[in-house]
Amino acid sequence: MQNLDKLKAEILSEIAAAKTPDALETLRISALGKKGHITALMKELGALGPEQKKTFGAALNQLKGEVNARLQEKKNALETKALNAQLEQDHLDVTLPPEPASEGRIHPVTQVLEELMEIFTAMDFKIAEGPHIEDDFHNFTALNIPPEHPARQMHDTFYLKPGTDGARKLLRTHTSPVQIRTMLSEKPPIRIIAPGRTFRSDSDATHTPMFHQLEGLVVDEFTTMGHLKGTIEAFVKAFFEVDDVKMRFRPSYFPFTEPSAEVDVGCERSKAGIKIGTGKEWMEILGCGMIHPKVLEYCNLDPKKYQGFAFGCGIDRLAMLKYGTPDLRAFFDSDLRWLRHYGFRALDIPTLAGGLSR
Ligand code: PHE
């Protein structure tokens, strides 16, 4: 018995001093393994008399139980310690500014596109898309621009080589073909915007062969020019972030709208740049009108039942006006110095509630 108390004190102090799970396991084996000290004593039990066997056996079992319990306790403690150390090391401060993201910049066109989507989705518009390579029907004919129509010349179209059927596909010259695709595939009420790339063979300080447009389309049974005006006014105020804006709807002509109008906003030019909303000068920002009955018919919609309005504007132009970038061509030069100057921080996502541009 004397021996057992000594053995117990030894084993327990070794357990208490163990520093790693491996050291603990070695201790376990040396006490309770096949050749362990306690196991060896268990083996000696058989040689004892019945009375001794009983008391010594009980004491051994108690020792075994206690050693096991301490081993488990120590194991848990070591594991918790290891986990805490690991957590301490992997510690992640989610409030720190993300370094890689702060290096990159959002292109002004992407920024304006996101602002536009934020404005129009808040007015319950959905986002629609169409292909860059279009056919004659969607880009022209269904928009009431028949083959001999002079408007075709004004579009400076890029044509592709003729296909097997002899027909030449083209790069869409505006986003208006998405009007046709949407009206052919959806039933009114329709309320969409279609942002995207458009192409015309044209290049100077305010024109690039590839540019971006935003199309808007609303078709319903009771849509009026009043709705068109209200929508455009709400959009212009939200986009230029002004409470009031001087606007005029100037009669114009597009084959696919009747009546048609161009929208000008009041502006003021100074050395500091151009201020939108007030002033003596006018700046044209978009084309719009009520959908021509013929266009509705091309899309199998009865013009006696349905009316709608459409508008289209240049996204790059809006970006130039709002953010004061002078030359359109620089937009697409991929010059990092330009992008660092005019670009936006990646995490400043435009929201109506938080401010579009801040
Ligand atoms: N598609 C016209 C353009 O490219 C703009 C427009 C769209 C005008 C919709 C009226 C209605 O100039």
Side-chain angles (χ1 to χ4, degrees), residues 13-14 45 77 99 113 127 146 160 178 202 210 260 268 293 307:
S13 84
E14 278 173 354
L45 276 180
E99 274 315 310
L113 187 62
I127 318 277
L160 277 65
V178 186
D202 204 355
M210 187 284 296
S260 302
E268 209 169 84
Q307 306 91 43

Side-chain angles (χ1 to χ4, degrees), residues 174 176 179 200 213 215 254 256-257 287-289 310-312:
H174 49 179
S176 300
Q179 287 187 36
R200 292 185 200 181
Q213 280 195 340
E215 194 80 11
F254 300 101
F256 34 91
T257 46
C288 60
F311 56 88

Side-chain angles (χ1 to χ4, degrees), residues 25-56:
E25 179 62 7
T26 311
L27 277 178
R28 189 190 65 78
I29 292 168
S30 88
L32 300 169
K34 262 191 202 151
K35 292 179 181 157
H37 302 304
I38 298 177
T39 318
L41 291 174
M42 289 284 201
K43 281 181 188 156
E44 283 171 21
L45 276 180
L48 297 177
E51 201 51 36
Q52 265 186 314
K53 199 187 227 173
K54 206 169 156 193
T55 47
F56 196 53

Side-chain angles (χ1 to χ4, degrees), residues 120 125 175 179 192-194 214-218 309-313:
F120 280 101
F125 281 68
T175 41
Q179 287 187 36
I192 57 122
I193 53 164
L214 179 88
E215 194 80 11
L217 174 73
V218 171
F309 65 79
F311 56 88
C313 61

Side-chain angles (χ1 to χ4, degrees), residues 159-330:
Y159 282 97
L160 277 65
K161 287 199 182 107
T164 43
D165 58 354
R168 300 183 79 175
K169 295 231 173 171
L170 49 89
L171 296 181
R172 68 178 179 190
T173 57
H174 49 179
T175 41
S176 300
V178 186
Q179 287 187 36
I180 305 300
R181 291 187 176 273
T182 307
M183 284 189 276
L184 282 172
S185 66
E186 279 176 41
K187 286 263 148 295
I190 291 171
R191 202 179 292 154
I192 57 122
I193 53 164
R197 296 186 166 191
T198 48
F199 309 85
R200 292 185 200 181
S201 179
D202 204 355
S203 185
D204 59 37
T206 51
H207 296 89
T208 47
M210 187 284 296
F211 57 106
H212 298 84
Q213 280 195 340
L214 179 88
E215 194 80 11
L217 174 73
V218 171
V219 188
D220 208 338
E221 290 182 30
F222 308 99
T223 313
T224 68
M225 194 109 183
H227 296 128
L228 167 60
K229 284 188 79 172
T231 306
I232 301 297
E233 193 176 325
F235 149 54
V236 172
K237 280 184 193 166
F239 180 72
F240 288 107
E241 300 174 65
V242 288
D243 293 330
D244 211 7
V245 71
K246 204 170 123 188
M247 283 173 67
R248 70 176 180 196
F249 281 67
R250 185 167 34 77
S252 184
Y253 172 78
F254 300 101
F256 34 91
T257 46
E258 180 58 38
S260 302
E262 275 171 323
V263 176
D264 300 335
V265 290
C267 66
E268 209 169 84
R269 279 175 230 260
S270 68
K271 278 202 198 85
I274 177 163
K275 200 169 151 261
I276 302 286
T278 52
K280 288 204 178 61
E281 289 174 73
W282 293 105
M283 170 76 72
E284 183 202 318
I285 57 158
L286 60 83
C288 60
M290 302 305 292
I291 303 170
H292 197 291
K294 276 202 170 155
V295 174
L296 291 169
E297 275 167 10
Y298 271 116
C299 299
N300 310 318
L301 293 172
D302 179 1
K304 290 207 183 67
K305 185 167 177 205
Y306 295 111
Q307 306 91 43
F309 65 79
F311 56 88
C313 61
I315 295 179
D316 319 279
R317 220 176 120 72
L318 287 179
M320 287 174 83
L321 282 178
K322 184 164 176 180
Y323 294 115
T325 48
D327 189 330
L328 179 62
R329 286 168 298 194

